[in-house]
Amino acid sequence: MERVAIVERPDWREKATEYGFNFHTMYGEPYWCEDAYYKLTLAQVERLEEVTAELHQMCLKVVETVVESDELLAKFRIPKHTWEFVRQSWRTGQPSLYSRLDLAWDGTGEPKLLENNADTPTSLYEAAFFQWLWLEDQIGAGKLPEGSDQFNSLQEKIIDRFTQLREQYGFQLLHFTCCRDSVEDRGTVQYLQDCANEAGVASEFLFVEDIGLGEKGQFTDLQDQVISNLFKLYPWEFMLREMFSTKLEDAGVRWLEPAWKSIISNKALLPMLWKMFPDHPNLLPAWFAEDDHPEMEKYVVKPLFSREGANITIVDNGQEIARSEGVYGEEGMIVQQYHPLPQFDGNYTLIGSWLINDEPAGIGIREDKALITQDMSRFYPHIFVE
């Protein structure tokens, strides 16, 4: 892997506006950056595909194990009154749309799984669409090596998946929702709505705060239309704790992502993977903080429900060397052996490896000057060459 400097497209900001990329700069800081790109080889892309597919199947094995155990559901801090709801989502084969594995890798040795964003992964629009547009423009401008390609079939696979959901599961109308206060989430949901419409699935949008409860216990939109299929960019760990969580089982909604994703979007996944697949080359040793575990010289403490790198602490020889703030932690913690993110030109780099349903579909690369990748870490495009 290499980080290669390149001249920005002169009109990329106008294109971002034209295509609805309204969060390319946030709080005055650049989020999308194209003064450089990451260059991989075809062999490296193939390795990422293999590892992503294998890790995903291992995660599904964890779901199989956890849904059969009251003790483990409790360990994952899934509220008891929702256990049957979560179990049934798995046993009845409720379909998934997408997920993203975060991997530490510099193109040599083995990629290491840091966590699985299986429920509400973001950075999709920029990975699926805007970096592809960048690739086409820069190839057209003669700025990239001959034969440049991108590990990115995301948009095509998303549209195909929505087509499957329509044909196999009867998704005729799909409601989409996210929180009112996130421009990034709204952009991601709008992009997915566009893909669903492309696949012939009719869609409606409403903010999660506007979902109502009908007389018969069904969830409804602002027109009092019953919601039968709902894509939510809203975490299960929040939903399972809210007042209406007692209605989830009987509401008759098919959810994207399904409730079984509450198991593998949870950092409790990491110690479970290590227990079930000890010494696997793509895993890092991990344990529940409250359980007995070997002492480690350098390790990371993560809350079970942390998102966007919040409330993470890195410890080296008993000294805290990095910490991020946030609202998580009361639910419990895991400890994971520290594995350094690779550095390119003084930037710590993280690979987000995407799956659409069960198929690897592309990557997005984020970088930061700090050790912990967070919501404002910069997104850079990539290419691969043979």
Side-chain angles (χ1 to χ4, degrees), residues 8 10 16 24 28 82 87 90 152 187 208 214 219 221 228 243 254 263 268 302 308 377:
E8 293 184 355
H24 63 76
T82 67
R87 284 179 165 136
W90 176 255
N152 186 3
V208 72
F219 294 124
D221 65 16
S228 301
M243 192 165 54
R254 184 179 274 123
I263 294 170
K302 298 178 177 181
E308 305 279 18
S377 299

mmCIF file with all atom_site columns, all heavy atoms in Angstrom, residues 8 10 16 24 28 82 87 90 152 187 208 214 219 221 228 243 254 263 268 302 308 377:
data_model
loop_
_atom_site.group_PDB
_atom_site.id
_atom_site.type_symbol
_atom_site.label_atom_id
_atom_site.label_alt_id
_atom_site.label_comp_id
_atom_site.label_asym_id
_atom_site.label_entity_id
_atom_site.label_seq_id
_atom_site.pdbx_PDB_ins_code
_atom_site.Cartn_x
_atom_site.Cartn_y
_atom_site.Cartn_z
_atom_site.occupancy
_atom_site.B_iso_or_equiv
_atom_site.pdbx_formal_charge
_atom_site.auth_seq_id
_atom_site.auth_comp_id
_atom_site.auth_asym_id
_atom_site.auth_atom_id
_atom_site.pdbx_PDB_model_num
ATOM 1   N N   . GLU A 1 8   ? -5.829  17.941  -6.633  1.00 0.00 ? 8   GLU A N   1
ATOM 2   C CA  . GLU A 1 8   ? -7.290  17.844  -6.498  1.00 0.00 ? 8   GLU A CA  1
ATOM 3   C C   . GLU A 1 8   ? -7.982  18.202  -7.814  1.00 0.00 ? 8   GLU A C   1
ATOM 4   O O   . GLU A 1 8   ? -7.461  18.993  -8.596  1.00 0.00 ? 8   GLU A O   1
ATOM 5   C CB  . GLU A 1 8   ? -7.789  18.846  -5.443  1.00 0.00 ? 8   GLU A CB  1
ATOM 6   C CG  . GLU A 1 8   ? -7.353  18.572  -4.032  1.00 0.00 ? 8   GLU A CG  1
ATOM 7   C CD  . GLU A 1 8   ? -7.983  19.568  -3.055  1.00 0.00 ? 8   GLU A CD  1
ATOM 8   O OE1 . GLU A 1 8   ? -8.664  20.508  -3.507  1.00 0.00 ? 8   GLU A OE1 1
ATOM 9   O OE2 . GLU A 1 8   ? -7.809  19.387  -1.843  1.00 0.00 ? 8   GLU A OE2 1
ATOM 10  N N   . PRO A 1 10  ? -10.258 20.443  -9.819  1.00 0.00 ? 10  PRO A N   1
ATOM 11  C CA  . PRO A 1 10  ? -10.551 21.855  -9.541  1.00 0.00 ? 10  PRO A CA  1
ATOM 12  C C   . PRO A 1 10  ? -12.012 22.100  -9.182  1.00 0.00 ? 10  PRO A C   1
ATOM 13  O O   . PRO A 1 10  ? -12.326 23.068  -8.477  1.00 0.00 ? 10  PRO A O   1
ATOM 14  C CB  . PRO A 1 10  ? -10.174 22.569  -10.848 1.00 0.00 ? 10  PRO A CB  1
ATOM 15  C CG  . PRO A 1 10  ? -10.134 21.498  -11.898 1.00 0.00 ? 10  PRO A CG  1
ATOM 16  C CD  . PRO A 1 10  ? -9.762  20.230  -11.193 1.00 0.00 ? 10  PRO A CD  1
ATOM 17  N N   . ALA A 1 16  ? -19.626 18.057  -5.523  1.00 0.00 ? 16  ALA A N   1
ATOM 18  C CA  . ALA A 1 16  ? -20.181 17.603  -4.245  1.00 0.00 ? 16  ALA A CA  1
ATOM 19  C C   . ALA A 1 16  ? -21.551 18.244  -4.013  1.00 0.00 ? 16  ALA A C   1
ATOM 20  O O   . ALA A 1 16  ? -22.518 17.570  -3.633  1.00 0.00 ? 16  ALA A O   1
ATOM 21  C CB  . ALA A 1 16  ? -19.228 17.946  -3.104  1.00 0.00 ? 16  ALA A CB  1
ATOM 22  N N   . HIS A 1 24  ? -19.085 17.095  3.083   1.00 0.00 ? 24  HIS A N   1
ATOM 23  C CA  . HIS A 1 24  ? -17.670 16.932  2.719   1.00 0.00 ? 24  HIS A CA  1
ATOM 24  C C   . HIS A 1 24  ? -16.763 17.770  3.617   1.00 0.00 ? 24  HIS A C   1
ATOM 25  O O   . HIS A 1 24  ? -15.573 17.494  3.756   1.00 0.00 ? 24  HIS A O   1
ATOM 26  C CB  . HIS A 1 24  ? -17.431 17.268  1.249   1.00 0.00 ? 24  HIS A CB  1
ATOM 27  C CG  . HIS A 1 24  ? -17.735 18.685  0.868   1.00 0.00 ? 24  HIS A CG  1
ATOM 28  N ND1 . HIS A 1 24  ? -16.893 19.737  1.183   1.00 0.00 ? 24  HIS A ND1 1
ATOM 29  C CD2 . HIS A 1 24  ? -18.790 19.226  0.202   1.00 0.00 ? 24  HIS A CD2 1
ATOM 30  C CE1 . HIS A 1 24  ? -17.416 20.870  0.718   1.00 0.00 ? 24  HIS A CE1 1
ATOM 31  N NE2 . HIS A 1 24  ? -18.561 20.588  0.124   1.00 0.00 ? 24  HIS A NE2 1
ATOM 32  N N   . GLY A 1 28  ? -16.180 23.164  9.825   1.00 0.00 ? 28  GLY A N   1
ATOM 33  C CA  . GLY A 1 28  ? -15.038 23.890  9.296   1.00 0.00 ? 28  GLY A CA  1
ATOM 34  C C   . GLY A 1 28  ? -13.811 23.035  9.016   1.00 0.00 ? 28  GLY A C   1
ATOM 35  O O   . GLY A 1 28  ? -12.767 23.558  8.606   1.00 0.00 ? 28  GLY A O   1
ATOM 36  N N   . THR A 1 82  ? -36.353 -8.141  25.265  1.00 0.00 ? 82  THR A N   1
ATOM 37  C CA  . THR A 1 82  ? -36.229 -8.177  23.799  1.00 0.00 ? 82  THR A CA  1
ATOM 38  C C   . THR A 1 82  ? -35.525 -9.451  23.301  1.00 0.00 ? 82  THR A C   1
ATOM 39  O O   . THR A 1 82  ? -35.290 -9.582  22.105  1.00 0.00 ? 82  THR A O   1
ATOM 40  C CB  . THR A 1 82  ? -35.453 -6.945  23.282  1.00 0.00 ? 82  THR A CB  1
ATOM 41  O OG1 . THR A 1 82  ? -34.086 -7.020  23.730  1.00 0.00 ? 82  THR A OG1 1
ATOM 42  C CG2 . THR A 1 82  ? -36.070 -5.647  23.778  1.00 0.00 ? 82  THR A CG2 1
ATOM 43  N N   . ARG A 1 87  ? -33.943 -13.172 18.979  1.00 0.00 ? 87  ARG A N   1
ATOM 44  C CA  . ARG A 1 87  ? -33.811 -14.581 18.562  1.00 0.00 ? 87  ARG A CA  1
ATOM 45  C C   . ARG A 1 87  ? -34.630 -14.869 17.304  1.00 0.00 ? 87  ARG A C   1
ATOM 46  O O   . ARG A 1 87  ? -34.149 -15.511 16.373  1.00 0.00 ? 87  ARG A O   1
ATOM 47  C CB  . ARG A 1 87  ? -34.296 -15.501 19.692  1.00 0.00 ? 87  ARG A CB  1
ATOM 48  C CG  . ARG A 1 87  ? -33.303 -15.627 20.814  1.00 0.00 ? 87  ARG A CG  1
ATOM 49  C CD  . ARG A 1 87  ? -33.857 -16.539 21.900  1.00 0.00 ? 87  ARG A CD  1
ATOM 50  N NE  . ARG A 1 87  ? -32.788 -16.936 22.783  1.00 0.00 ? 87  ARG A NE  1
ATOM 51  C CZ  . ARG A 1 87  ? -32.885 -16.956 24.118  1.00 0.00 ? 87  ARG A CZ  1
ATOM 52  N NH1 . ARG A 1 87  ? -34.019 -16.595 24.707  1.00 0.00 ? 87  ARG A NH1 1
ATOM 53  N NH2 . ARG A 1 87  ? -31.855 -17.331 24.844  1.00 0.00 ? 87  ARG A NH2 1
ATOM 54  N N   . TRP A 1 90  ? -33.260 -13.859 13.960  1.00 0.00 ? 90  TRP A N   1
ATOM 55  C CA  . TRP A 1 90  ? -32.241 -14.769 13.422  1.00 0.00 ? 90  TRP A CA  1
ATOM 56  C C   . TRP A 1 90  ? -32.877 -16.071 12.927  1.00 0.00 ? 90  TRP A C   1
ATOM 57  O O   . TRP A 1 90  ? -32.593 -16.540 11.825  1.00 0.00 ? 90  TRP A O   1
ATOM 58  C CB  . TRP A 1 90  ? -31.187 -15.062 14.492  1.00 0.00 ? 90  TRP A CB  1
ATOM 59  C CG  . TRP A 1 90  ? -30.151 -16.052 14.059  1.00 0.00 ? 90  TRP A CG  1
ATOM 60  C CD1 . TRP A 1 90  ? -30.035 -17.363 14.444  1.00 0.00 ? 90  TRP A CD1 1
ATOM 61  C CD2 . TRP A 1 90  ? -29.078 -15.829 13.122  1.00 0.00 ? 90  TRP A CD2 1
ATOM 62  N NE1 . TRP A 1 90  ? -28.972 -17.971 13.826  1.00 0.00 ? 90  TRP A NE1 1
ATOM 63  C CE2 . TRP A 1 90  ? -28.362 -17.048 13.009  1.00 0.00 ? 90  TRP A CE2 1
ATOM 64  C CE3 . TRP A 1 90  ? -28.665 -14.741 12.389  1.00 0.00 ? 90  TRP A CE3 1
ATOM 65  C CZ2 . TRP A 1 90  ? -27.248 -17.186 12.172  1.00 0.00 ? 90  TRP A CZ2 1
ATOM 66  C CZ3 . TRP A 1 90  ? -27.547 -14.869 11.560  1.00 0.00 ? 90  TRP A CZ3 1
ATOM 67  C CH2 . TRP A 1 90  ? -26.861 -16.076 11.460  1.00 0.00 ? 90  TRP A CH2 1
ATOM 68  N N   . ASN A 1 152 ? -14.448 -1.549  -5.597  1.00 0.00 ? 152 ASN A N   1
ATOM 69  C CA  . ASN A 1 152 ? -15.682 -0.824  -5.330  1.00 0.00 ? 152 ASN A CA  1
ATOM 70  C C   . ASN A 1 152 ? -16.789 -1.265  -6.281  1.00 0.00 ? 152 ASN A C   1
ATOM 71  O O   . ASN A 1 152 ? -16.922 -0.733  -7.381  1.00 0.00 ? 152 ASN A O   1
ATOM 72  C CB  . ASN A 1 152 ? -15.440 0.683   -5.486  1.00 0.00 ? 152 ASN A CB  1
ATOM 73  C CG  . ASN A 1 152 ? -16.633 1.518   -5.086  1.00 0.00 ? 152 ASN A CG  1
ATOM 74  O OD1 . ASN A 1 152 ? -17.639 0.980   -4.629  1.00 0.00 ? 152 ASN A OD1 1
ATOM 75  N ND2 . ASN A 1 152 ? -16.532 2.821   -5.266  1.00 0.00 ? 152 ASN A ND2 1
ATOM 76  N N   . GLY A 1 187 ? -27.652 12.213  4.634   1.00 0.00 ? 187 GLY A N   1
ATOM 77  C CA  . GLY A 1 187 ? -27.042 12.010  3.321   1.00 0.00 ? 187 GLY A CA  1
ATOM 78  C C   . GLY A 1 187 ? -26.904 10.528  2.976   1.00 0.00 ? 187 GLY A C   1
ATOM 79  O O   . GLY A 1 187 ? -27.166 10.117  1.838   1.00 0.00 ? 187 GLY A O   1
ATOM 80  N N   . VAL A 1 208 ? -36.752 9.550   12.683  1.00 0.00 ? 208 VAL A N   1
ATOM 81  C CA  . VAL A 1 208 ? -37.100 8.535   13.684  1.00 0.00 ? 208 VAL A CA  1
ATOM 82  C C   . VAL A 1 208 ? -37.965 9.142   14.795  1.00 0.00 ? 208 VAL A C   1
ATOM 83  O O   . VAL A 1 208 ? -38.844 8.463   15.352  1.00 0.00 ? 208 VAL A O   1
ATOM 84  C CB  . VAL A 1 208 ? -35.817 7.856   14.240  1.00 0.00 ? 208 VAL A CB  1
ATOM 85  C CG1 . VAL A 1 208 ? -35.016 8.779   15.140  1.00 0.00 ? 208 VAL A CG1 1
ATOM 86  C CG2 . VAL A 1 208 ? -36.129 6.552   14.941  1.00 0.00 ? 208 VAL A CG2 1
ATOM 87  N N   . GLY A 1 214 ? -49.714 3.224   16.101  1.00 0.00 ? 214 GLY A N   1
ATOM 88  C CA  . GLY A 1 214 ? -51.129 3.150   15.774  1.00 0.00 ? 214 GLY A CA  1
ATOM 89  C C   . GLY A 1 214 ? -51.936 2.443   16.855  1.00 0.00 ? 214 GLY A C   1
ATOM 90  O O   . GLY A 1 214 ? -51.393 1.865   17.799  1.00 0.00 ? 214 GLY A O   1
ATOM 91  N N   . PHE A 1 219 ? -46.374 0.521   13.986  1.00 0.00 ? 219 PHE A N   1
ATOM 92  C CA  . PHE A 1 219 ? -45.691 1.800   13.817  1.00 0.00 ? 219 PHE A CA  1
ATOM 93  C C   . PHE A 1 219 ? -46.237 2.480   12.566  1.00 0.00 ? 219 PHE A C   1
ATOM 94  O O   . PHE A 1 219 ? -46.538 1.826   11.563  1.00 0.00 ? 219 PHE A O   1
ATOM 95  C CB  . PHE A 1 219 ? -44.181 1.599   13.707  1.00 0.00 ? 219 PHE A CB  1
ATOM 96  C CG  . PHE A 1 219 ? -43.571 1.063   14.976  1.00 0.00 ? 219 PHE A CG  1
ATOM 97  C CD1 . PHE A 1 219 ? -42.838 -0.105  14.980  1.00 0.00 ? 219 PHE A CD1 1
ATOM 98  C CD2 . PHE A 1 219 ? -43.751 1.731   16.178  1.00 0.00 ? 219 PHE A CD2 1
ATOM 99  C CE1 . PHE A 1 219 ? -42.287 -0.605  16.154  1.00 0.00 ? 219 PHE A CE1 1
ATOM 100 C CE2 . PHE A 1 219 ? -43.205 1.247   17.356  1.00 0.00 ? 219 PHE A CE2 1
ATOM 101 C CZ  . PHE A 1 219 ? -42.468 0.075   17.345  1.00 0.00 ? 219 PHE A CZ  1
ATOM 102 N N   . ASP A 1 221 ? -46.321 6.257   9.934   1.00 0.00 ? 221 ASP A N   1
ATOM 103 C CA  . ASP A 1 221 ? -45.620 7.463   9.500   1.00 0.00 ? 221 ASP A CA  1
ATOM 104 C C   . ASP A 1 221 ? -46.505 8.682   9.733   1.00 0.00 ? 221 ASP A C   1
ATOM 105 O O   . ASP A 1 221 ? -47.569 8.597   10.358  1.00 0.00 ? 221 ASP A O   1
ATOM 106 C CB  . ASP A 1 221 ? -45.143 7.326   8.052   1.00 0.00 ? 221 ASP A CB  1
ATOM 107 C CG  . ASP A 1 221 ? -46.291 7.214   7.040   1.00 0.00 ? 221 ASP A CG  1
ATOM 108 O OD1 . ASP A 1 221 ? -47.449 7.533   7.394   1.00 0.00 ? 221 ASP A OD1 1
ATOM 109 O OD2 . ASP A 1 221 ? -46.023 6.822   5.881   1.00 0.00 ? 221 ASP A OD2 1
ATOM 110 N N   . SER A 1 228 ? -44.423 -1.204  7.267   1.00 0.00 ? 228 SER A N   1
ATOM 111 C CA  . SER A 1 228 ? -44.218 -2.659  7.198   1.00 0.00 ? 228 SER A CA  1
ATOM 112 C C   . SER A 1 228 ? -42.754 -3.031  7.044   1.00 0.00 ? 228 SER A C   1
ATOM 113 O O   . SER A 1 228 ? -42.309 -4.067  7.544   1.00 0.00 ? 228 SER A O   1
ATOM 114 C CB  . SER A 1 228 ? -45.004 -3.243  6.019   1.00 0.00 ? 228 SER A CB  1
ATOM 115 O OG  . SER A 1 228 ? -46.375 -2.973  6.161   1.00 0.00 ? 228 SER A OG  1
ATOM 116 N N   . MET A 1 243 ? -38.973 3.270   25.243  1.00 0.00 ? 243 MET A N   1
ATOM 117 C CA  . MET A 1 243 ? -40.289 2.904   25.751  1.00 0.00 ? 243 MET A CA  1
ATOM 118 C C   . MET A 1 243 ? -41.033 1.980   24.781  1.00 0.00 ? 243 MET A C   1
ATOM 119 O O   . MET A 1 243 ? -41.670 1.018   25.179  1.00 0.00 ? 243 MET A O   1
ATOM 120 C CB  . MET A 1 243 ? -41.084 4.185   25.991  1.00 0.00 ? 243 MET A CB  1
ATOM 121 C CG  . MET A 1 243 ? -42.345 3.982   26.779  1.00 0.00 ? 243 MET A CG  1
ATOM 122 S SD  . MET A 1 243 ? -42.983 5.551   27.385  1.00 0.00 ? 243 MET A SD  1
ATOM 123 C CE  . MET A 1 243 ? -43.089 6.531   25.889  1.00 0.00 ? 243 MET A CE  1
ATOM 124 N N   . ARG A 1 254 ? -40.608 -5.450  9.187   1.00 0.00 ? 254 ARG A N   1
ATOM 125 C CA  . ARG A 1 254 ? -39.360 -6.090  8.761   1.00 0.00 ? 254 ARG A CA  1
ATOM 126 C C   . ARG A 1 254 ? -38.296 -5.002  8.761   1.00 0.00 ? 254 ARG A C   1
ATOM 127 O O   . ARG A 1 254 ? -38.425 -4.008  8.063   1.00 0.00 ? 254 ARG A O   1
ATOM 128 C CB  . ARG A 1 254 ? -39.521 -6.715  7.375   1.00 0.00 ? 254 ARG A CB  1
ATOM 129 C CG  . ARG A 1 254 ? -38.263 -7.462  6.950   1.00 0.00 ? 254 ARG A CG  1
ATOM 130 C CD  . ARG A 1 254 ? -38.417 -8.094  5.589   1.00 0.00 ? 254 ARG A CD  1
ATOM 131 N NE  . ARG A 1 254 ? -39.037 -9.401  5.677   1.00 0.00 ? 254 ARG A NE  1
ATOM 132 C CZ  . ARG A 1 254 ? -40.155 -9.746  5.047   1.00 0.00 ? 254 ARG A CZ  1
ATOM 133 N NH1 . ARG A 1 254 ? -40.785 -8.877  4.306   1.00 0.00 ? 254 ARG A NH1 1
ATOM 134 N NH2 . ARG A 1 254 ? -40.639 -10.952 5.163   1.00 0.00 ? 254 ARG A NH2 1
ATOM 135 N N   . ILE A 1 263 ? -26.226 -8.107  17.898  1.00 0.00 ? 263 ILE A N   1
ATOM 136 C CA  . ILE A 1 263 ? -25.195 -8.979  18.478  1.00 0.00 ? 263 ILE A CA  1
ATOM 137 C C   . ILE A 1 263 ? -23.831 -8.678  17.875  1.00 0.00 ? 263 ILE A C   1
ATOM 138 O O   . ILE A 1 263 ? -22.834 -8.567  18.596  1.00 0.00 ? 263 ILE A O   1
ATOM 139 C CB  . ILE A 1 263 ? -25.581 -10.466 18.285  1.00 0.00 ? 263 ILE A CB  1
ATOM 140 C CG1 . ILE A 1 263 ? -26.844 -10.771 19.099  1.00 0.00 ? 263 ILE A CG1 1
ATOM 141 C CG2 . ILE A 1 263 ? -24.436 -11.395 18.667  1.00 0.00 ? 263 ILE A CG2 1
ATOM 142 C CD1 . ILE A 1 263 ? -27.469 -12.126 18.825  1.00 0.00 ? 263 ILE A CD1 1
ATOM 143 N N   . ALA A 1 268 ? -18.905 -6.704  22.314  1.00 0.00 ? 268 ALA A N   1
ATOM 144 C CA  . ALA A 1 268 ? -18.849 -8.030  22.944  1.00 0.00 ? 268 ALA A CA  1
ATOM 145 C C   . ALA A 1 268 ? -18.548 -9.105  21.894  1.00 0.00 ? 268 ALA A C   1
ATOM 146 O O   . ALA A 1 268 ? -18.080 -10.197 22.237  1.00 0.00 ? 268 ALA A O   1
ATOM 147 C CB  . ALA A 1 268 ? -20.168 -8.337  23.646  1.00 0.00 ? 268 ALA A CB  1
ATOM 148 N N   . LYS A 1 302 ? -12.580 -0.671  25.249  1.00 0.00 ? 302 LYS A N   1
ATOM 149 C CA  . LYS A 1 302 ? -13.688 -0.178  24.423  1.00 0.00 ? 302 LYS A CA  1
ATOM 150 C C   . LYS A 1 302 ? -15.016 -0.489  25.103  1.00 0.00 ? 302 LYS A C   1
ATOM 151 O O   . LYS A 1 302 ? -15.225 -1.605  25.578  1.00 0.00 ? 302 LYS A O   1
ATOM 152 C CB  . LYS A 1 302 ? -13.699 -0.880  23.051  1.00 0.00 ? 302 LYS A CB  1
ATOM 153 C CG  . LYS A 1 302 ? -12.464 -0.657  22.202  1.00 0.00 ? 302 LYS A CG  1
ATOM 154 C CD  . LYS A 1 302 ? -12.568 -1.429  20.881  1.00 0.00 ? 302 LYS A CD  1
ATOM 155 C CE  . LYS A 1 302 ? -11.367 -1.169  19.983  1.00 0.00 ? 302 LYS A CE  1
ATOM 156 N NZ  . LYS A 1 302 ? -11.475 -1.889  18.692  1.00 0.00 ? 302 LYS A NZ  1
ATOM 157 N N   . GLU A 1 308 ? -18.256 5.535   16.432  1.00 0.00 ? 308 GLU A N   1
ATOM 158 C CA  . GLU A 1 308 ? -17.415 6.639   15.940  1.00 0.00 ? 308 GLU A CA  1
ATOM 159 C C   . GLU A 1 308 ? -16.190 6.856   16.831  1.00 0.00 ? 308 GLU A C   1
ATOM 160 O O   . GLU A 1 308 ? -15.761 7.986   17.055  1.00 0.00 ? 308 GLU A O   1
ATOM 161 C CB  . GLU A 1 308 ? -18.231 7.943   15.835  1.00 0.00 ? 308 GLU A CB  1
ATOM 162 C CG  . GLU A 1 308 ? -19.488 7.848   14.981  1.00 0.00 ? 308 GLU A CG  1
ATOM 163 C CD  . GLU A 1 308 ? -19.203 7.965   13.481  1.00 0.00 ? 308 GLU A CD  1
ATOM 164 O OE1 . GLU A 1 308 ? -18.040 7.787   13.093  1.00 0.00 ? 308 GLU A OE1 1
ATOM 165 O OE2 . GLU A 1 308 ? -20.140 8.220   12.724  1.00 0.00 ? 308 GLU A OE2 1
ATOM 166 N N   . SER A 1 377 ? -12.485 11.878  11.272  1.00 0.00 ? 377 SER A N   1
ATOM 167 C CA  . SER A 1 377 ? -11.285 11.403  10.566  1.00 0.00 ? 377 SER A CA  1
ATOM 168 C C   . SER A 1 377 ? -11.527 11.506  9.067   1.00 0.00 ? 377 SER A C   1
ATOM 169 O O   . SER A 1 377 ? -12.624 11.243  8.577   1.00 0.00 ? 377 SER A O   1
ATOM 170 C CB  . SER A 1 377 ? -10.978 9.971   10.969  1.00 0.00 ? 377 SER A CB  1
ATOM 171 O OG  . SER A 1 377 ? -10.722 9.891   12.362  1.00 0.00 ? 377 SER A OG  1
#
